[in-house]
Amino acid sequence: MKGLYCKPGGDQGDVKFVLQETNAPTNIGSHQVKVQVKICALSPVDFKLYEDLRLESELVPVGREISGVVLQVGPKVTFFQPDDEVVGILPLDAELSGLCSVVLIDEYDLVQKPEKVSWFEAAAVIKDGLRAYTALHTLARMAAGQTVLVLDGAGPFGVLAIQLAHYHGVKVLATALSPDDQKFLEELRPSVARVIRVWDSKENLVDSCLEETGGLGVDIIIDSGVRLYEEEAETQSHRPHKHDLLTLLSVGGHWVTTEQHLQLDPPDSHILFLKAASLSFLNDEVWTTSRAKQGRYLHILKDVMDKLSTGTFRPQLEQPVPLYEATVSMEMVQRKQTRKRIVVKL
């Protein structure tokens, strides 16, 4: 069977991905489940994280968000049985690519796929739904009546964060990176309170947020990357500067960042102190790299599928691609030329 793999090293945007033959798994562990993969979602690979966790290898498996059918279960598996329809995220130390026909995965990394949810939707939403829950519930502790700013609101993660916030009675502001994104966000229901056109140089992010909140600022910021230096303005114009986000954060507010190299100077920290505000780093991989909160992790995955089944989550999905296009598709995802790709294995 074939799987998608990558050799780490060099610039992350220039890495090469290859479809490689690999042997089907034969031995199954006590708590493992053998799954026939139907759909696999492709998201960018963080090679630095593999290096930090000392998980480097000659070939890194690519494609970790899967949905499929249980073929066989280990002797101590209690959650699943053959023919169950499941969805889950392969751990970082998985040996097989999610694009392989069959994978082995621990039973504690899977949940049941609701009957109303398609294979396509399940694999496409599971990881971004986890990220949205981690950002808004685990880190920001959102509550009804608050205001949240979601940067790049039209992205796969941004859309689910907006819908999750709406579900809990939170007022949502969102940024649009292009006219198409603006149109999509303005048509969302429930509606976004304000769509901020960061692609338009005439519209100012800070002024727009302060105007919308009566000068009080937003309670929660969920970013999609931050400009650390003014010199980056020309190449990263769609990303706000860290000082802008500190300015529009409210008293007692919470900033959840995806910028792992964020640096705060003493004056920046002093602004957070004056506002009694806080900062958290969004790294959803901690759920599988540490088993400290395994029960909560499975609860989140199940709740993501429940909200997808009931229509609370309505993701923006692109057309799936066949397996033979997986290599080119993954290169585009890694270079951020497209946000996400879904590969059909049916």
Side-chain angles (χ1 to χ4, degrees):
M1 62 181 183
K2 287 186 176 181
L4 186 63
Y5 296 86
C6 174
K7 187 172 184 179
D11 188 344
Q12 292 196 28
D14 294 329
V15 293
K16 298 298 181 183
F17 298 90
V18 293
L19 284 172
Q20 178 133 336
E21 287 288 344
T22 184
N23 296 325
T26 53
N27 299 325
I28 186 169
S30 297
H31 290 280
Q32 285 188 316
V33 177
K34 183 182 288 188
V35 177
Q36 180 185 7
V37 179
K38 298 287 188 181
I39 297 285
C40 176
L42 301 178
S43 298
V45 180
D46 186 349
F47 294 108
K48 183 65 168 63
L49 184 59
Y50 279 88
E51 181 182 338
D52 292 340
L53 297 175
R54 298 181 180 179
L55 295 174
E56 298 171 281
S57 60
E58 291 185 7
L59 290 174
V60 174
V62 176
R64 296 171 47 221
E65 303 136 67
I66 63 168
S67 59
V69 178
V70 175
L71 298 178
Q72 182 183 353
V73 299
K76 294 185 179 180
V77 171
T78 57
F79 293 168
F80 305 102
Q81 57 188 5
D83 297 326
D84 281 350
E85 298 182 349
V86 294
V87 57
I89 304 172
L90 292 170
L92 286 169
D93 60 355
E95 296 181 359
L96 294 174
S97 162
L99 285 171
C100 291
S101 301
V102 177
V103 297
L104 288 179
I105 182 171
D106 196 286
E107 68 170 322
Y108 304 114
D109 292 321
L110 290 171
V111 291
Q112 299 275 0
K113 180 185 77 66
E115 187 176 348
K116 293 181 179 179
V117 175
S118 69
W119 304 111
F120 181 48
E121 292 175 321
V125 166
I126 189 68
K127 186 173 177 63
D128 289 316
L130 173 66
R131 284 171 61 82
Y133 263 82
T134 305
L136 291 170
H137 281 297
T138 308
L139 300 177
R141 306 286 185 181
M142 71 173 170
Q146 290 183 320
T147 301
V148 60
L149 169 64
V150 179
L151 299 172
D152 188 14
F157 164 58
V159 170
L160 298 187
I162 289 171
Q163 292 168 348
L164 183 61
H166 276 147
Y167 179 80
H168 289 280
V170 175
K171 178 180 178 180
V172 179
L173 315 180
T175 64
L177 306 187
S178 68
D180 288 341
D181 286 354
Q182 178 187 346
K183 183 176 184 296
F184 170 78
L185 289 171
E186 289 174 344
E187 293 174 351
L188 273 181
R189 294 293 180 272
S191 60
V192 175
R194 183 160 183 166
V195 178
I196 303 166
R197 307 185 305 272
V198 295
W199 55 270
D200 185 352
S201 59
K202 297 179 182 179
E203 185 150 6
N204 183 276
L205 175 64
V206 175
D207 292 345
S208 298
C209 290
L210 294 180
E211 178 184 336
E212 191 65 36
T213 58
L216 298 177
V218 298
D219 300 295
I220 301 170
I221 298 171
I222 310 293
D223 74 38
S224 59
V226 179
R227 259 192 299 126
L228 303 181
Y229 310 103
E230 292 292 352
E231 295 78 14
E232 298 173 333
E234 292 186 6
T235 58
Q236 301 182 22
S237 58
H238 65 283
R239 289 188 173 190
H241 193 278
K242 60 180 179 180
H243 293 151
D244 294 338
L245 298 188
L246 290 170
T247 300
L248 58 83
L249 195 61
S250 71
V251 171
H254 200 100
W255 174 11
V256 179
T257 183
T258 60
E259 184 58 61
Q260 57 182 290
H261 301 299
L262 179 67
Q263 297 179 9
L264 293 184
D265 300 320
D268 302 330
S269 298
H270 189 61
I271 294 174
L272 287 175
F273 168 76
L274 291 174
K275 294 185 174 185
S278 56
L279 170 70
S280 295
F281 290 87
L282 176 57
N283 175 19
D284 55 284
E285 298 294 354
V286 297
W287 294 109
T288 55
T289 55
S290 170
R291 297 297 186 184
K293 300 185 184 297
Q294 185 66 44
R296 183 177 296 180
Y297 173 60
L298 289 177
H299 174 78
I300 292 173
L301 296 186
K302 183 178 183 300
D303 208 37
V304 168
M305 287 297 105
D306 288 344
K307 282 184 168 48
L308 188 57
S309 177
T310 57
T312 301
F313 283 158
R314 300 173 307 284
Q316 181 186 23
L317 301 175
E318 296 185 12
Q319 288 297 319
V321 299
L323 179 60
Y324 64 81
E325 292 185 13
T327 302
V328 174
S329 295
M330 187 61 212
E331 289 175 354
M332 294 174 63
V333 170
Q334 192 70 18
R335 292 171 182 155
K336 295 181 170 52
Q337 294 172 345
T338 186
R339 284 169 168 145
K340 201 180 189 90
R341 275 289 187 265
I342 315 298
V343 179
V344 180
K345 293 285 296 179
L346 295 170

